[in-house]
Amino acid sequence: MNTKQLRKKQLALPLIIAGALLLSACSTNSQPMNHQGHDMGNMGSTSSIPANSEAAAMSASNDTVMEVLTGNSFTLTAKESMLHLDDSTMKNAWTYNGTVPGPQLRVKQGETIKVVLNNELTEPVTIHWHGLPVPNNMDGIPGITQNAVKPGDSFTYQFKVDVPGTYWYHSHQNGVVQVDKGLYGSLVVEPKEQQPVDKDFTLVVDEWLKDESMAGMSHGGGHAGMNMSNTSSGNNSSMDTPMSDAEMMPLMYTIFSANGKTGAAIQPLLVKQGEKIRIRLVNAGFLSHPLYLQGHEYKIVSTDGQPINNPPLVSGQLLNIAPGERYDIEFVANNPGSWLLEEHSSNPGAASLAVPIVYEGYESTKPKAEKGDMPIIDITKYGEAAKSNFSLDDSYNIEYTMDLNTEMSNGEMAFTINGKTYPDTPPLQVKKGDRVKVKLVNKSPKDLHPMHLHGHFFQVLSKNGQPVSGSPLVKDTLNLLPGEEFVVAFIADNPGEWMFHCHDLGHAAQGMMSEVKYEGFKRDFVVDPTVKNMPE
C-alpha cells in the first residue's frame, strides 16, 4: 500500500480499538539499555573515543541500541533492521546505522561537521537537524531545501555547529511514516566551557503499535484521517462522534520506549552516591510524556538545548515533554536506593516507560512505581527573570497570527493553519533582520499541537495573555493544549525557506504546516520530479 493510500484509509470500526486495548499489556523481559556518559563506571556502555575520529562507542547489536560517535566526520546509513524492544517484542524498523535510536553524534561547539547520508532503503530519505540552526540548504526538507536522497544514493551535509545544546535528527521525507518506523537519533553540541557532571545520560522516548495490523490506520493514514470522520470542528457532543486524534492515538500506541527498549528491558542508569547526574530527554514520538523523578530534587537546566536562568530545585511535580521537545535535567545522587524516572499519565502504555535509577550496591533492589496525581511544571513560570532579547512591548516589523484547528476538508479530517492546509497555508514573508512576533492559538477542541520552527529559536513572551514570569524562555518547539494561546518572537537572521509546523507529524501530514520565507532568497537546487519529495 502506498503512502497516499495510507493517508486516505479510515478507521471504521471502534471495536478495533477495544481489541487493541485488550492486547496492550506490556512485556517485562530484561535487556540492557544504552546510554553515554562522562564516567560510565560499571554500566557497560561506552569507552573512551579518539577525538576527530568516526568511532562507535558501542557495537550495534540486539543488546545495544545507541552508539555514540565523536569527532567531526560521520556516516549515517539508512537501512532496514530488526528492533528488539524486549525479548518478546520485535519490530521491523527503519534505522540510521542499524539501530533505534540511531547513533548519538556528539560534537563540539564551533566545529564544522560533515555527515554523509547513504540510503539503503527502498524509499527516498533525508536528515533534518531538529532545533539546530543550520544553513537552509542543509535543513533536509525534501522539495524545499534539497531533493530527498534516492535509494542507492548519498548526500553530504556539512555545517558549523555554533549553538551548544541537546538536539536530535530525523528524516523529513514522509516523516509521519519514516520517523514512526525509527529513522531518528540524538545530537549533542558540547559547549566550549562545559559545566562538568559525573554522568551524562541521554534518553530518547518513543511509542510503538502493539498491533501492527493497525499501522495503516495510524500515522499517515488514519493518524488524523480516521478521527471524527463524520463531524465538523466544534461538534463533539454527539454520542456517535468518533474519538479525536488525541484520544485515539494513546489507545493504538501502547508500547512506550526509552532508547529503543520497553518495560523491564530498560536497563537501569547506575549512579554512585554524591555524583552529579545529567539526563537529556528527547521526545521522538507522537505523544506527550509527563515524567516523574522519584526520590530526588532536580533542576531543569535547559529546554530545547537553551539554558534556563537560575533554575530552582523541584520535586513532586511532573515534567511534561511534548513531541519534538528536549529537556536537560540535573540532580545530585544523594538518596541511595533504587528509583524510577517514570511516566505518570493515564495512557495504556504509561507503565512501560519507567527508567530505573539505581545506586551502586542496590542493583538487586527492584524500584516500585508511585501512584497519585501530581502537578505539571509550568515552564513559563520556572526559573528567574533576566534581561532578554524581546518583550511584549517591543516594536516589531511583522506581527502574525497562526490559528491552529481541527476541521473537515473534502470529507476528511484536516489540521489547519488559518483555515488552510499545506501547501495552501499562506507563508510568513520576512526580510533579513526583521523582528517578528507570532501569536499561536490552538482552536482544536481536543488535539495538542507542538509547533516547531526550523532554522531559528524563538522567545516565548506570554501564555494565555500572561507574560512569562520565569526565566527567559527560548525554544524551537512549543506545545499548545486546546484553547491555549502563546505569543513568541524571533529575529529573521537565517535566510531561506523554513518550515513552521506541528510536530505531531500526523497533524503535519494532514495540513498543519506553513513556511517562513525570506524576501529575495533563491534555492540552490532544482526540484527533481522523479524523486516524489514529501516534506511533511
Side-chain angles (χ1 to χ4, degrees), residues 370-446:
E370 294 186 14
K371 305 288 186 181
D373 294 332
M374 298 177 188
I376 292 176
I377 297 167
D378 185 346
I379 199 66
T380 68
K381 298 179 180 179
Y382 181 79
E384 187 176 289
K387 183 177 175 59
S388 60
N389 292 328
F390 302 98
S391 76
L392 288 168
D393 296 329
D394 289 350
S395 60
Y396 292 89
N397 303 100
I398 295 174
E399 297 190 20
Y400 188 76
T401 297
M402 298 176 72
D403 287 336
L404 315 172
N405 212 340
T406 306
E407 305 180 49
M408 291 299 295
S409 176
N410 299 321
E412 295 185 359
M413 186 52 53
F415 294 92
T416 62
I417 297 176
N418 296 342
K420 303 288 186 180
T421 57
Y422 187 80
D424 296 326
T425 48
L428 176 52
Q429 302 280 1
V430 301
K431 297 190 294 291
K432 186 176 182 180
D434 279 348
R435 293 168 61 86
V436 184
K437 184 165 72 172
V438 180
K439 180 189 291 186
L440 296 158
V441 185
N442 184 358
K443 295 187 174 181
S444 293
K446 296 184 179 180

Side-chain angles (χ1 to χ4, degrees), residues 38-69:
H38 270 271
D39 172 17
M40 301 311 297
N42 60 0
M43 297 163 66
S45 297
T46 67
S47 57
S48 61
I49 307 169
N52 67 15
S53 71
E54 187 183 315
M58 293 169 290
S59 63
S61 72
N62 290 338
D63 289 341
T64 57
V65 294
M66 184 185 287
E67 296 176 307
V68 180
L69 305 179

Side-chain angles (χ1 to χ4, degrees), residues 126-171:
T126 69
I127 299 177
H128 165 59
W129 312 97
H130 184 113
L132 186 66
V134 298
N136 191 242
N137 61 358
M138 295 289 106
D139 199 42
I141 312 305
I144 306 296
T145 70
Q146 69 172 96
N147 290 304
V149 182
K150 291 181 178 180
D153 285 354
S154 65
F155 184 88
T156 299
Y157 297 91
Q158 187 164 330
F159 49 85
K160 188 176 181 181
V161 287
D162 285 323
V163 187
T166 303
Y167 306 98
W168 64 299
Y169 61 89
H170 59 84
S171 179

Side-chain angles (χ1 to χ4, degrees), residues 54-243:
E54 187 183 315
M58 293 169 290
S59 63
S61 72
N62 290 338
D63 289 341
T64 57
V65 294
M66 184 185 287
E67 296 176 307
V68 180
L69 305 179
T70 64
N72 53 23
S73 182
F74 309 96
T75 298
L76 295 176
T77 300
K79 59 184 177 180
E80 200 167 356
S81 187
M82 189 62 66
L83 171 64
H84 293 243
L85 285 160
D86 58 28
D87 281 342
S88 63
T89 309
M90 294 184 294
K91 300 292 180 182
N92 188 17
W94 286 11
T95 72
Y96 293 113
N97 290 14
T99 62
V100 179
Q104 179 172 95
L105 307 185
R106 202 168 183 95
V107 302
K108 297 187 181 301
Q109 181 184 7
E111 290 277 341
T112 295
I113 69 170
K114 181 174 75 171
V115 183
V116 178
L117 169 62
N118 297 319
N119 185 9
E120 295 182 2
L121 290 167
T122 57
E123 294 184 13
V125 298
T126 69
I127 299 177
H128 165 59
W129 312 97
H130 184 113
L132 186 66
V134 298
N136 191 242
N137 61 358
M138 295 289 106
D139 199 42
I141 312 305
I144 306 296
T145 70
Q146 69 172 96
N147 290 304
V149 182
K150 291 181 178 180
D153 285 354
S154 65
F155 184 88
T156 299
Y157 297 91
Q158 187 164 330
F159 49 85
K160 188 176 181 181
V161 287
D162 285 323
V163 187
T166 303
Y167 306 98
W168 64 299
Y169 61 89
H170 59 84
S171 179
H172 223 288
Q173 165 74 6
N174 190 18
V176 65
V177 172
Q178 294 192 0
V179 176
D180 195 34
K181 288 186 174 184
L183 274 174
Y184 57 78
S186 59
L187 186 152
V188 173
V189 180
E190 296 180 339
K192 293 177 180 179
E193 297 182 7
Q194 293 198 58
Q195 298 296 318
V197 294
D198 296 296
K199 290 198 171 78
D200 188 334
F201 303 106
T202 297
L203 297 174
V204 185
V205 299
D206 196 6
E207 316 89 30
W208 305 84
L209 289 167
K210 182 74 173 180
D211 182 359
E212 289 298 329
S213 68
M214 303 178 74
M217 306 169 190
S218 58
H219 302 114
H223 177 81
M226 65 190 176
N227 303 328
M228 300 162 56
S229 55
N230 297 315
T231 72
S232 59
S233 177
N235 183 23
N236 293 307
S237 60
S238 172
M239 292 296 290
D240 61 354
T241 300
M243 291 180 180

Side-chain angles (χ1 to χ4, degrees), residues 128-129 131-141 144-145 172 402 422 427-428 430 452-456 490-501 513-518 521 523:
H128 165 59
W129 312 97
L132 186 66
V134 298
N136 191 242
N137 61 358
M138 295 289 106
D139 199 42
I141 312 305
I144 306 296
T145 70
H172 223 288
M402 298 176 72
Y422 187 80
L428 176 52
V430 301
H452 172 51
L453 174 61
H454 289 212
H456 306 74
F490 67 94
I491 187 165
D493 58 0
N494 194 2
E497 296 179 68
W498 301 99
M499 308 309 296
F500 199 168
H501 66 94
M513 295 178 62
S514 185
E515 294 182 56
V516 175
K517 290 189 174 185
Y518 279 68
F521 178 80
R523 299 174 178 175

